[in-house]
Amino acid sequence: MAGHTDNEITIAAPMELVWDMTNDIDDWPRLFSEYASVDVLERDGDRVTFRLTMHPDKDGKVWSWVSERVADPTTRTVRAHRVETGPFQYMNIVWEYAETADGTRMRWIQDFAMKPDAPVDDAWMTDNINRNSRTQMALIRDRIEQAAGERRTAAVLAD
């Protein structure tokens, strides 16, 4: 058995702004509510290896892992996987971006499997990731739309 999630949201902002803000890994602790810190370990062109550390969970446990992400600005896709898998056998993530009449659609597709000795199973983690993805995507949408509005206001004031 394996887990699979597929979530998307439309952000009323230009593609370039959505792409830039969501791929600025150094700024993820301000973009996502769940991350306490990001430590970039290596950059090589569009490939970045980094450690993510979450805020403590309800039991006080702090989760941290290393991931690698490769962004393709031409196709507006990002492929990522956990290098340090923790309780996962594997975790692969694809981010897709598309321009729409309403702004930019951002989609996260996650494929994973939990280790047999993990504290939760694939079904539990699928529900958890779906719930959390919707929360984080809405937060990201709101923060990017606010930044887009501030840029529009600054442009009008500059004219």
Side-chain angles (χ1 to χ4, degrees):
M1 180 93 182
H4 173 83
T5 64
D6 189 335
N7 292 281
E8 66 179 54
I9 196 164
T10 299
I11 303 169
M15 169 71 80
E16 203 62 37
L17 180 61
V18 175
W19 177 263
D20 289 347
M21 286 185 70
T22 59
N23 285 291
D24 182 359
I25 293 170
D26 295 306
D27 199 45
W28 276 10
R30 287 179 289 284
L31 190 61
F32 290 81
S33 65
E34 62 190 341
Y35 300 140
S37 66
V38 174
D39 298 308
V40 173
L41 306 173
E42 182 182 356
R43 287 187 197 274
D44 182 15
D46 291 323
R47 184 181 62 77
V48 61
T49 305
F50 55 99
R51 174 172 295 284
L52 275 175
T53 303
M54 297 183 77
H55 294 288
D57 67 16
K58 63 180 174 41
D59 299 322
K61 176 145 177 63
V62 174
W63 297 92
S64 180
W65 64 90
V66 173
S67 288
E68 181 180 273
R69 195 167 201 275
V70 179
D72 184 339
T74 303
T75 63
R76 298 297 188 184
T77 58
V78 178
R79 297 199 178 281
H81 69 277
R82 283 192 180 197
V83 176
E84 290 179 3
T85 58
F88 294 92
Q89 287 180 358
Y90 63 89
M91 166 61 87
N92 298 313
I93 306 170
V94 176
W95 293 38
E96 297 176 346
Y97 300 79
E99 290 183 279
T100 72
D102 297 320
T104 303
R105 186 184 70 231
M106 180 177 68
R107 180 179 178 204
W108 298 344
I109 305 159
Q110 294 175 264
D111 289 295
F112 60 91
M114 304 308 295
K115 290 179 179 173
D117 62 347
V120 298
D121 63 12
D122 293 339
W124 186 95
M125 187 55 74
T126 298
D127 288 342
N128 186 62
I129 289 172
N130 275 326
R131 189 173 37 260
N132 191 55
S133 290
R134 289 193 225 31
T135 298
Q136 294 303 314
M137 286 179 140
L139 181 62
I140 290 167
R141 177 201 58 213
D142 293 349
R143 289 179 174 168
I144 293 174
E145 288 178 355
Q146 179 181 353
E150 290 167 358
R151 287 182 181 196
R152 284 191 297 272
T153 300
V156 167
L157 293 175
D159 286 345

